[in-house]
Amino acid sequence: MALIGLVRVSTDKQKTQRQHDALDPICLKVFEEKISGKLATDDRPALLEALSYLRDGDMLTVQEVDRLGRNLLEGLIVLNDLFQRGVAVKVLEGIAAGEHTERSLILDLALALSEDRRRDIVRKTKNGLEAARRRGRVGGRPRVVDDDKRAAILARRERGESIRAIAAGVKVSVGVVHKTLTDAKDA
């Protein structure tokens, strides 16, 4: 029986070291992905690779159940497939901690809670952004074009200059010039 690990975080900016610290010492091989757990299994290449690597008698090991995913239906499908193939699942932390060779209420509940937590994170993020907008704060990157640059872009375009020439003259990207012109036309 080989322990095969799966490490997952949702974005490239998130760190995987904590999960590797837990899995690397005990697993024969560890697969890593930096992709949303809400995606379907077919859209998660590292998960697919791990699933195809596992053999009868092996044990897929994750730090927490939500590393398998945050989509209840997809998680249940993966678990059913693993258990039918004779592959067990080992969860190191959380309410479903332990070794599982078949579906159980606690494992299903842990997956459902993972999906619910993801929904809660999305809702809180959206609420926070809306509250910030109401206070006049806008998230995202700072604007490159101030009123002076906007006026210069519009004036140069009116004189017939190309978008590339305007971008070079105002020292912004072609995309910024294009967006500024499009926004002015729509206004």
Side-chain angles (χ1 to χ4, degrees):
M1 172 185 62
L3 293 176
I4 307 302
L6 177 67
V7 168
R8 185 192 64 77
V9 290
S10 297
T11 69
D12 285 333
K13 294 178 183 172
Q14 292 175 310
K15 306 283 186 233
T16 58
Q17 192 58 53
R18 181 179 70 91
Q19 293 177 61
H20 276 289
D21 288 346
L23 297 178
D24 289 349
I26 62 172
C27 292
L28 175 67
K29 185 171 177 78
V30 176
F31 293 87
E32 177 181 311
E33 61 184 358
K34 293 188 173 190
I35 195 164
S36 175
K38 73 177 182 179
L39 296 176
T41 304
D42 290 341
D43 297 328
R44 295 176 55 194
L47 175 60
L48 288 174
E49 192 178 350
L51 294 175
S52 67
Y53 186 86
L54 290 159
R55 301 289 174 251
D56 183 13
D58 286 347
M59 189 174 291
L60 179 63
T61 307
V62 292
Q63 187 165 20
E64 297 139 347
V65 169
D66 61 357
R67 301 303 89 200
L68 281 174
R70 290 185 181 249
N71 178 324
L72 176 60
L73 180 59
E74 290 291 326
L76 292 174
I77 291 169
V78 168
L79 289 176
N80 280 334
D81 176 59
L82 290 173
F83 296 147
Q84 286 175 2
R85 292 173 38 204
V87 176
V89 174
K90 181 173 186 158
V91 180
L92 301 180
E93 297 176 10
I95 63 170
E99 296 180 3
H100 305 272
T101 56
E102 60 185 23
R103 279 192 48 205
S104 65
L105 176 62
I106 199 72
L107 199 52
D108 292 358
L109 181 61
L111 280 169
L113 289 171
S114 295
E115 182 177 14
D116 191 56
R117 272 196 301 269
R118 182 184 63 79
R119 235 187 338 261
D120 196 40
I121 290 167
V122 169
R123 182 182 52 78
K124 286 179 179 179
T125 300
K126 188 185 291 186
N127 289 347
L129 290 170
E130 288 172 3
R133 279 189 212 101
R134 284 193 299 272
R135 291 190 310 272
R137 299 180 66 197
V138 179
R141 296 174 61 183
R143 293 198 176 266
V144 174
V145 178
D146 57 17
D147 289 338
D148 291 338
K149 282 186 181 179
R150 183 177 185 280
I153 290 169
L154 295 175
R156 285 172 170 243
R157 187 60 174 180
E158 204 168 295
R159 289 193 303 259
E161 287 187 39
S162 73
I163 290 177
R164 289 191 188 282
I166 296 169
V170 182
K171 295 184 175 43
V172 295
S173 71
V174 170
V176 167
V177 172
H178 190 272
K179 181 168 176 15
T180 303
L181 294 172
T182 302
D183 289 350
K185 188 168 61 172
D186 292 343

